[in-house]
Structure formats: structure tokens, C-alpha cells
Amino acid sequence: MTTQKSHKLLMIPGPIEFEPAVLAALAEPTPSHVAPDFIEVFGRVLDNLRTVFQAPDGQPFVLAGSGTLAMEAAVANLLEAGDRVLQINTGYFSDRMAAICERSGAIITQVRAPAIGDVPALEEIQMALQQDHYTLMTITHVDTSTGVLTDVQTLAQMARSAHTLSVVDGVCSVGGEALPMAEWDVDVALTASQKALGVPPGLAIVMARPRALALFQGRTQPVASYYADWSNWLPIMQAYQSRKPAYFGTPPVNLVLALDVSLAQIIAEGMDARVARHIRLSEAVKAALTALGLGQAPARPAVAAHTLSAPYFPEGVDGAALLAKINAAGVVLAGGLHPAIRARYFRIGHMGAVSGADILAAVSAIEQGLRDVGYQFDAGSGLAAAQRVIEG
Ligand code: PMP
């Protein structure tokens, strides 16, 4: 069994380090999914999700599954064969969303970033919106393969002006990046439990605002996916919201207990304070990487996510060897994911309950790893740069 001391600090872009109280909920004796106490917990979770997504008029759906199911549930309920989708493509997870939309029989138009690490030009998106009518615009808020952050506020506004619904993949953003759904008028946002919401993997979460529900309710064809069909889940979510028992598929009871604990912690911190903490800690990591002479995948700070960093390995350094050394120094980081640059970069997750002390531990392990693989740098410069940002 892993002990507190033998446990390595997990700083990948999900799953992340979880709060002890969240983990303790997983060890609770499992209640019935229709027990009054559990109904109260699930109802509170749905209420609190509206607070965290900043969508007072939103309908949350919490399903057993990973983020990919959340992506599929969101679009499968909204798309019918022959519908057009405009996809804002910023990397690996945007490609996945395109593949999912295609399964619904939709016709996909992609607007791609000019280069890996960048975002598509707004003029190109505007042109595409003028040429055709799209049912949905899909946006990856943070593409976890490149660490690229999209301007959801502007994109959602462009979609609205074109009478197109916006669907935001917030798997690597919800609970870490600013995403005030109602204020930005985003129609659907989705996430998974294991990232900035701070709960072990297993929950697929979708928030649908009124226009999305109206589109779903006006469908002419049944939803192709039986499990993800909102016709099955909407009555269940509504029942829990009004504190009544209901059953369609057995909910992952202990994960819902854990989500209840985590959402309470998130709300106690406050959404603005939480986003500000993510920005500050992200800037600390990025300052350290720059001080150490490492470039980053995002083209410029304005398109860089705050939930993870994606640094390039220094010239001449064996990436796999470096990650192994960092691991030996006690910190687990992730390798590359985007196929075009996979071997050239690595990824550091910094979301959820991450603290300044975690950031310093990670930077220290990176410095140790860099020294062990023979990279020449000013020892301590990364730590000093991170510390300056953390101290403000
Ligand atoms: N979208 C994004 C932006 C992601 O980062 C991920 C997971 N890394 C997914 C979707 C898919 O989530 P899951 O792995 O939980 O299916």
C-alpha cells in the first residue's frame, strides 16, 4: 500500500491530487441510490453544480462515465443526421469531438489553428458562420494536448449572433478557468470529475442551458445512444432536484458523495478566488519554465491555459530520461499527447487543490531532473522565479 511518504506528487493534467475528505467519501458505506439521505446529497450536488458552472438556469446531468461520455452525451442529444457543426479545432480533443459528432450523422466543418499551439483566426470563423447555418459550434476550452486556451466568451457570442448553439468541452477547464456560462451565454458545457472538480475519475457531467434543452425537446429522430439519451436522464435529474426517488441506471453513489464534498470545498473557496489561484500558480510554473530556458507549446501567453503547462524538452535532452528522473525525484508529470509533437514536449497539470508548495515541489523535481540529464542551467533559477510569483 502507498504511504503518505512513498506517494509521489501527481501533477499530470488529470487525474490530479485529491483532497483527503473527498477520498474519504469513497470509503463510506455505500447507501441505496434511493435512500432519503442520498437523495438529499444528489439534489445538493445538482444545485451546487449550477453554482460552479455559474448557470442558474442550467440543467445538470451527472452520469457514470469519463469525459468522453460527457462529450458524446452533449452532442448526441442535440444533433440529428444531416445537421451541420462548426468545429473550432485546437488539437487532439477537438479531433475527438469531430469524430463523436460524425457518429450522430452530422456534417462537420472544421476551422483549424494555423499552427500547433495556436487558435483559429476569428475572421475565418466569422466567414464560416456567414457561409452556412450550423446547429452547433463546438469549442475545446482547454486542449489538454497542447495547453491551448480558447476565448470562449468571444466564440460563444459569435455563435449566438449566428443562431448557433455553443458546446464547450470544459473537461480541462471547469473549476479552474473562468467559464461563467450564463454571463457568456454558453449553451452547453461539459466536464469530467478527475480534473479541476477534484474527484477521482468516473463522473461525466453536462450542463445544458434552456436553448439546448429546447433543441433537444424539438428533435424529430430518437437519440442514437440509449444510455446517454436525456429522455432517460432528465426525469431522474429532475426527481433528485425535487428530492424524490427515481431510477434509470444505478448512479455511481460513492462518487456522487465525493463530488458533494468537493463542490462544497470549491464553493467555499469561491469561483473568482479559485480562478485567480489557478492563474497565479500557472504563472509561477510558466515563469519557472522560462527561467530554466524551456519553451512552451502555446504560441503566446494569451492562448496559454492556467490548468496545465506544456513545456518543450530542451534541445539535446532525452525526454523520456528526463521524465524518469523527475519521477525519481518524487513528482509524476505527463508525456506529450499531440501526435505531431508527442516526443518533443511534456505536460504539467496544476489544477484543483494544487498549492504553491506543490508548484515548488514540481519545479524542484524538474530542476533535479534537468541536472541529472546534464542540462546546463542556473541552478535554483526556476525555483526563484516561481517563488516570486507565488509570493506576489
Ligand atoms: N476533453 C478534454 C479537453 C480532455 O482533457 C479530456 C481528457 N484528458 C477529455 C476530453 C476526455 O476525457 P476522459 O479521458 O475522461 O474520457
Side-chain angles (χ1 to χ4, degrees):
M1 190 172 171
T2 312
T3 64
Q4 183 66 31
K5 288 292 171 196
S6 68
H7 166 75
K8 293 182 193 232
L9 187 64
L10 185 61
M11 291 194 58
I12 65 172
I16 62 164
E17 290 280 322
F18 301 116
E19 287 279 6
V22 171
L23 294 175
L26 297 178
E28 291 272 324
T30 303
S32 157
H33 56 290
V34 289
D37 287 358
F38 180 71
I39 291 171
E40 178 55 35
V41 170
F42 207 156
R44 185 165 60 225
V45 159
L46 297 170
D47 296 343
N48 285 345
L49 281 171
R50 287 199 193 86
T51 305
V52 168
F53 280 73
Q54 293 164 273
D57 58 356
Q59 175 59 57
F61 294 89
V62 177
L63 268 58
S66 79
T68 306
L69 177 74
M71 296 166 81
E72 183 149 26
V75 298
N77 280 285
L78 298 178
L79 290 176
E80 300 195 48
D83 285 350
R84 290 182 184 277
V85 175
L86 182 63
Q87 204 209 15
I88 313 305
N89 194 302
T90 47
Y92 179 91
F93 288 103
S94 303
D95 287 340
R96 177 171 297 186
M97 187 54 118
I100 292 171
C101 289
E102 266 167 19
R103 288 291 174 95
S104 292
I107 301 155
I108 322 294
T109 300
Q110 294 189 322
V111 186
R112 287 186 171 273
I116 289 164
D118 213 336
V119 295
L122 292 180
E123 304 76 57
E124 247 186 90
I125 297 167
Q126 199 56 56
M127 243 159 49
L129 285 169
Q130 277 158 5
Q131 276 162 9
D132 253 312
H133 176 261
Y134 299 94
T135 304
L136 303 183
M137 175 195 280
T138 65
I139 305 161
T140 312
H141 196 181
V142 169
D143 197 293
T144 323
S145 71
T146 51
V148 166
L149 176 75
T150 49
D151 178 358
V152 167
Q153 184 174 18
T154 301
L155 294 170
Q157 204 173 0
M158 289 168 75
R160 172 70 58 244
S161 305
H163 306 287
T164 293
L165 268 60
S166 52
V167 175
V168 175
D169 172 349
V171 172
C172 200
S173 76
V174 171
E177 301 282 358
L179 181 56
M181 267 187 93
E183 188 189 322
W184 290 359
D185 212 0
V186 168
D187 295 299
V188 177
L190 61 98
T191 192
S193 48
Q194 73 271 19
K195 303 211 189 204
L197 287 186
V199 177
L203 293 175
I205 299 166
V206 180
M207 184 68 74
R209 292 189 52 247
R211 282 191 190 87
L213 285 180
L215 178 64
F216 161 72
Q217 271 143 1
R219 294 181 66 92
T220 55
Q221 303 155 23
V223 176
S225 163
Y226 180 77
Y227 179 75
D229 190 344
W230 287 347
S231 314
N232 293 322
W233 290 111
L234 189 56
I236 308 305
M237 297 302 140
Q238 287 170 335
Y240 279 114
Q241 277 159 213
S242 37
R243 310 301 194 260
K244 293 198 179 86
Y247 166 75
F248 167 63
T250 310
V253 177
N254 284 71
L255 281 171
V256 174
L257 298 180
L259 181 59
D260 182 44
V261 174
S262 190
L263 291 176
Q265 291 178 346
I266 292 169
I267 290 168
E269 181 175 14
M271 296 315 292
D272 290 349
R274 190 168 175 91
V275 169
R277 174 170 59 81
H278 279 79
I279 291 173
R280 191 174 69 253
L281 295 180
S282 168
E283 282 172 354
V285 172
K286 287 166 175 72
L289 294 171
T290 302
L292 294 170
L294 273 60
Q296 294 173 52
R300 55 195 171 278
V303 298
H306 306 102
T307 47
L308 81 154
S309 298
Y312 284 111
F313 294 120
E315 208 59 42
V317 161
D318 175 344
L322 173 61
L323 288 179
K325 294 289 185 192
I326 294 170
N327 189 300
V331 178
V332 183
L333 302 182
L337 182 62
H338 196 296
I341 54 170
R342 185 171 281 150
R344 293 174 43 209
Y345 76 116
F346 62 111
R347 295 173 302 147
I348 309 161
H350 32 79
M351 57 188 126
V354 65
S355 67
D358 295 332
I359 300 296
L360 293 175
V363 173
S364 168
I366 291 169
E367 286 208 12
Q368 232 174 294
L370 286 170
R371 195 195 52 211
D372 290 349
V373 297
Y375 174 67
Q376 299 289 318
F377 66 103
D378 183 7
S381 59
L383 276 169
Q387 182 87 54
R388 268 195 300 276
V389 178
I390 289 167
E391 285 173 359

